[in-house]
């Protein structure tokens, strides 16, 4: 019995080493592998983080690294590491990015890892969130500015250094978005990062505001950046292709046998 079950789980090979029949066990394996790889690919596509750096307009020493991810449902997670080296204690006090037009609002916002998590405020105002020095307008922003909840027109220009992201620290922020559920489910991180700022001297998908600098007269700066590399192929893709090939082979053998 054990030998018979084993033989049904494998392709049957004749003396010329050609596969002449695929057992039901192997077909089940290929179908299971296909389903698992599709699920893995879907999850990887929806939740993969896009990482990139930003560099200051006034000083190349004003830098940060950004990890930007979307869960495929309604939540953005943005991690910003302050890597600036232009003073003993450079502070990130705000950031801004863009959103697809059908994102209707923000129903939830959290900040962690900063010097004052409860003192960060978010806002959604399409093409109306300003940056210093006429460097473009964005759709979504967050800042430590005390007047941010009531005066989004100031954008991320100001900001209190008491509550920002300190040098070598990482602030983590989540935005829960509202809108049509089907539309939101179709978004990825790239849906946001493929959109540039408008109406200014620069056009980038992401901006970070720095204060408390000391770099040859530069005391504050705005840094821009965005992804420039192709997203790597998910590890599940080879399994997906193998499963497809296996099912195609099994189907072809059944047709030939008929």
């Amino acid at each position: 019995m054990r030998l018979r079950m084993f033989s049904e789980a494998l392709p049957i090979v004749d003396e010329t080493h050609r596969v002449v029949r695929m057992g039901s066990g192997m077909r089940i394996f290929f179908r299971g592998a296909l389903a698992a790889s599709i699920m893995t690919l879907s999850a990887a596509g929806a939740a993969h983080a896009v990482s990139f750096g930003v560099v200051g307009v006034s000083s190349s020493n004003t830098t940060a690294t950004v990890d930007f991810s979307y869960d495929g449902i309604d939540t953005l997670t943005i991690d910003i590491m302050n890597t600036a080296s232009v003073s003993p204690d450079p502070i990130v006090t705000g950031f801004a990015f863009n959103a697809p037009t059908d994102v209707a609002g923000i129903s939830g916002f959290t900040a962690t890892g900063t010097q004052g998590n409860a003192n960060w405020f978010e806002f959604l105002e399409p093409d109306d969130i300003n940056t210093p020095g006429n460097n473009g307008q964005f759709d979504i922003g967050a800042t430590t500015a005390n007047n941010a909840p009531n005066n989004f027109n100031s954008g991320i220009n100001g900001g209190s250094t008491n509550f920002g992201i300190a040098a070598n620290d990482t602030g983590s922020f989540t935005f829960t978005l509202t809108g049509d559920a089907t539309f939101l489910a179709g978004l990825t991180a790239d849906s946001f990062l493929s959109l540039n700022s408008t109406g200014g001297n620069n056009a980038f998908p992401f901006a970070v505001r720095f204060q408390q600098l000391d770099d040859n007269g530069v005391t504050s700066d705005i840094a821009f950046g965005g992804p420039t590399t192709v997203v790597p192929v998910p590890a599940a893709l080879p399994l997906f292709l193998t499963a497809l090939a296996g099912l195609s082979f099994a189907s072809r053998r059944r047709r030939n046998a008929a």
Side-chain angles (χ1 to χ4, degrees):
M1 177 66 71
R2 187 174 301 171
L3 179 61
R4 184 180 64 82
M5 292 176 63
F6 178 76
S7 67
E8 288 183 353
L10 295 173
I12 307 302
V13 184
D14 67 6
E15 65 278 4
T16 62
H17 303 288
R18 292 179 302 169
V19 177
V20 297
R21 181 170 62 85
M22 177 170 290
S24 60
M26 185 62 74
R27 288 197 296 271
I28 293 173
F29 166 78
F30 279 124
R31 291 193 184 101
L34 179 61
S37 59
I38 289 174
M39 292 175 64
T40 303
L41 286 170
S42 298
H48 81 86
V50 178
S51 301
F52 56 92
V54 296
V55 180
V57 172
S58 300
S59 171
S60 60
N61 296 317
T62 307
T63 60
T65 58
V66 180
D67 289 334
F68 192 110
S69 63
Y70 181 68
D71 69 352
I73 302 174
D74 62 5
T75 302
L76 285 168
T77 301
I78 301 172
D79 297 333
I80 302 174
M81 182 177 183
N82 182 353
T83 57
S85 58
V86 293
S87 71
D89 193 20
I91 303 294
V92 170
T93 58
F95 61 94
F97 57 98
N98 292 297
T101 55
D102 285 341
V103 171
I106 301 171
S107 63
F109 173 76
T110 65
T112 58
T114 74
Q115 297 180 113
N117 298 327
N119 297 96
W120 280 80
F121 304 97
E122 87 292 348
F123 33 81
L124 168 63
E125 294 293 338
D127 294 326
D128 212 8
I129 295 177
N130 295 313
T131 55
N134 190 32
N135 278 296
Q137 287 79 46
F138 290 85
D139 301 328
I140 296 178
T143 180
T144 59
N146 293 330
N147 63 346
N150 302 313
N151 185 15
F152 64 84
N153 287 321
S154 63
I156 59 172
N157 291 336
S160 171
T161 57
N162 294 326
F163 310 124
I165 306 171
N168 300 314
D169 283 351
T170 299
S172 183
F173 307 87
T174 64
F175 296 79
T176 303
L177 308 177
T178 62
D180 178 78
T182 302
F183 171 79
L184 293 177
L187 298 178
T188 67
D190 301 304
S191 303
F192 299 84
L193 296 174
S194 63
L195 305 172
N196 287 334
S197 55
T198 59
N201 298 324
N202 288 288
F204 286 97
F206 204 91
V208 177
R209 175 64 164 157
F210 288 85
Q211 305 271 5
Q212 201 167 283
L213 308 180
D214 184 12
D215 187 20
N216 296 319
V218 177
T219 58
S220 64
D221 204 356
I222 184 76
F224 293 99
T228 58
T229 58
V230 177
V231 177
V233 173
L237 185 57
L239 178 61
F240 176 77
L241 295 177
T242 300
L244 279 181
L247 287 176
S248 175
F249 176 82
S251 176
R252 187 168 59 251
R253 295 303 305 177
R254 287 196 302 271
R255 287 198 303 269
N256 291 343

